[in-house]
Amino acid sequence: MIQKDNNDEDYYYDMDFDVNKMEKIIKENEEKKSKLTNYKNKLNEEEHKEEENKEEEHKEEENKEEENKEEEHKEEENKEEEHKEEENKKEENKEEEHKEEENKEEENNKSSKDNRHYSKYYEFNDGEKRDKNTLDLFSMILPDNENEETIELKYTAELPIITSKFCGVRVYVPPESIEGNKISCPVGYVIKIHDVFFGRRVGDKETCSTSEYGNKFSDGLLNVTEEEKCESHPVNDIKNICENKRSCYIKPSTALYKSPCPDIQVYMEVSYQCVEDKNAFKKPKFAIVMFADKVKPDSLYEHSISEFAQYADIHGYSFFVDNKIIDYNRQVYYQKLYSLLNYVIRGLNTNEYEWIFWADGDSTLVNPNIKLDSFIPPPDKDDIHLVISDDVIGLNAGMFLIHVHPWSLSFLMKACTYSYYNKDTYLSLVDQSAMLHTLIEQNEEKHYVIVPQNWFNSYFCNDEEECDGKLKKGDFLVHYAGYLDKSYIAAVIRKQIKSDKEWYGKRSSEMREEVLKYYKLPKEEQHSIYL
C-alpha cells in the first residue's frame, strides 16, 4: 500500500481492491440499511399502535365516564323514584293506620254494643238515652294504643324444693287471732306443695321445744316413741291454701288440723317448690258495686249509676247495684259493708272477679279511659288487699278497691260488727269510722295502702278555692262528699266535660306510671291514717 501526502490529508490506496469486493460491501451496507429501515418502520408501527391504543383507551375512558354519568344519573333518578315510593308508602301507611284506627273504633263500638250487659241502667228499650243529661261514655273512649305493662323475668331451669318448719298452735288459740306463717315465691313464680308433715318426729326434742314466752316444754310434751307414730299429712288442706299462689299464710293449728297426738307439742313441715307461673301478669277481673235504694229520675244518683254501668260494659267489668236494705235497725251506711261482704263471698265462690271497686252514688265518672287495673298493687305487693284514699279529715270510704281474698272477708266482718263490741266508742262517720278503727286497732298496715285522692276520689272545689284532692282534668272521677247542692255541681261538671276533651284525655298508661312510682315509695312517705 502506497501512502501519499496531499494537502496534509492522508490517502490510502489498496492495490488489492477489486470490484467484487466493493459490490459485496455495498450489498452488506444496503442490507444493513434495509434492516435499519425495517427496524425504524417497525418502531414507527409500534409507536403508531401505541398511539392508537392510547386513543382507544382514551375513548374507552371517555365512554366509561359517559356510562358512569349515565349510571349516576339513573341512580339519582332511581333514588328520586325510591324516595317518591317511600313518600307514597308513608302516605299509604298513614291512610291505612287512619283506616285501622277508624275500623278499631267501629269494632270497639260494635263490640261494646254487642257486650252491653248493663244497658238497662242507661238506655230505654228502644235504645234511646235514658237521660239527655247523662254522659255518653262510649263517645269519650280514645283509641286503645297504649302499651301493656310488662316485666321481664329470667326463669331458672328449676328452683329447689324448700322445707319450712312452723311451731304448732294449741287448740285453745282461735286461728282467727293469728296471722300465720308466710311462705312466698319470687315474682313470676307460684307455690307447688310437695309434702306436709304435721306432728313430731321420733327422738326430736329440739324443734319447737319452747313456748312463745321462751319457756322450755317438759320432756313429756316433746318425747315421741316409735310406737306412738305422731304424724299426719294434711297435704290437700295446705294445697287449698297455697297451691298456685305467689304467697300464703299457714296456721299450724290443732283447731284446723286434727292433732295426731294430743298430748305432744307438734309442729308442721311444709315442703314446697316455686314453679313458673303460666298466668303471670294476667290482667285481673273487676266488679263494680254500688248501693242506691231511692233513685229519682234525672238525679245525680241515676247519672252516676248510668256512668258506672257504661264504664263496666266498655271495659268488660261485672256491675252490681243493690237497692234493698237488709237491716232497718242499723244506719243505712252499713249497707255498704253488707253489700261488699256479699260480693266478696260471691267472688271467693265463683272466681268471676278478683277485685271489687266500691263507688258511692254521689259522684261523676269523668274519665272512662282510665281502667281499674291502673290502681292495683304491683305483683310484689300482693299482701295489700285494700286500696283506699284519705282526705283532710282522714280515711274516706266513698271510693275504694278491695281484693277478693279471705283477709277482706275478715276485715269486713270486723268492721261490720265493730260497734257491737265497742259500744263506748263514738263512730262519728259510722261505717267509715268502723273501718278506720278496725284497720288501726288490728294493726293491719301491711294489708292496706292509703293513696292520693286524685287517683279515684277527687273532690270538687271552686276555681278560686284550694282543697286537698282538687279535681283536675284527666282525673278518673269526682266525689261530691260533704256538699249540699250536689246535683247542681254535678250538672256544671258534666257540662264542662262535654265541651272539653281534656277532661278525659289522660290514659291508663299515664295513670299506671304514676301509681307504680307511688307504690315504690317507703311506707313513711306514703299517705297515712290515724284515730
Side-chain angles (χ1 to χ4, degrees), residues 351-363:
N351 297 318
E352 60 187 294
Y353 46 82
E354 292 127 280
W355 284 86
I356 295 171
F357 184 74
W358 173 267
D360 276 0
D362 56 340
S363 59

Side-chain angles (χ1 to χ4, degrees), residues 52-67:
E52 286 180 348
N53 291 336
K54 284 181 180 178
E55 285 179 8
E56 286 178 6
E57 288 176 0
H58 181 67
K59 285 180 181 178
E60 285 178 4
E61 286 177 1
E62 287 181 345
N63 292 334
K64 282 183 181 179
E65 286 180 3
E66 288 296 323
E67 288 175 2

Side-chain angles (χ1 to χ4, degrees), residues 516-531:
L516 291 176
K517 284 181 181 178
Y518 184 81
Y519 277 116
K520 288 178 181 178
L521 292 175
K523 194 77 173 177
E524 57 271 16
E525 293 183 27
Q526 295 178 346
H527 290 229
S528 58
I529 51 175
Y530 50 87
L531 290 175

Side-chain angles (χ1 to χ4, degrees), residues 202-248:
V202 175
D204 182 2
K205 293 185 180 181
E206 297 300 321
T207 303
C208 298
S209 59
T210 57
S211 71
E212 58 183 303
Y213 306 107
N215 300 320
K216 180 79 173 177
F217 290 123
S218 65
D219 282 354
L221 292 174
L222 303 175
N223 189 35
V224 177
T225 64
E226 288 283 357
E227 292 78 19
E228 286 178 294
K229 201 69 174 179
C230 179
E231 68 177 78
S232 64
H233 297 269
V235 176
N236 289 333
D237 294 322
I238 300 302
K239 279 187 174 183
N240 289 334
I241 297 170
C242 299
E243 190 93 337
N244 294 319
K245 296 177 183 176
R246 197 183 80 83
S247 65
C248 64

Side-chain angles (χ1 to χ4, degrees), residues 3 24 30-31 47 60 71 90 96-97 121 134 139 164 173 201 213 239-240 329 349-350 365 391 396 422-423 509:
Q3 184 174 355
K24 186 178 179 182
E30 285 177 353
E31 286 177 357
E47 287 176 359
E60 285 178 4
E71 286 178 3
K90 284 181 182 178
E96 286 177 6
E97 286 175 3
Y121 294 108
T134 300
S139 67
S164 297
V173 179
R201 298 191 184 278
Y213 306 107
K239 279 187 174 183
N240 289 334
N329 288 317
N349 276 325
T350 65
L365 205 158
D391 60 16
N396 185 276
N422 297 274
K423 296 180 180 180
S509 54

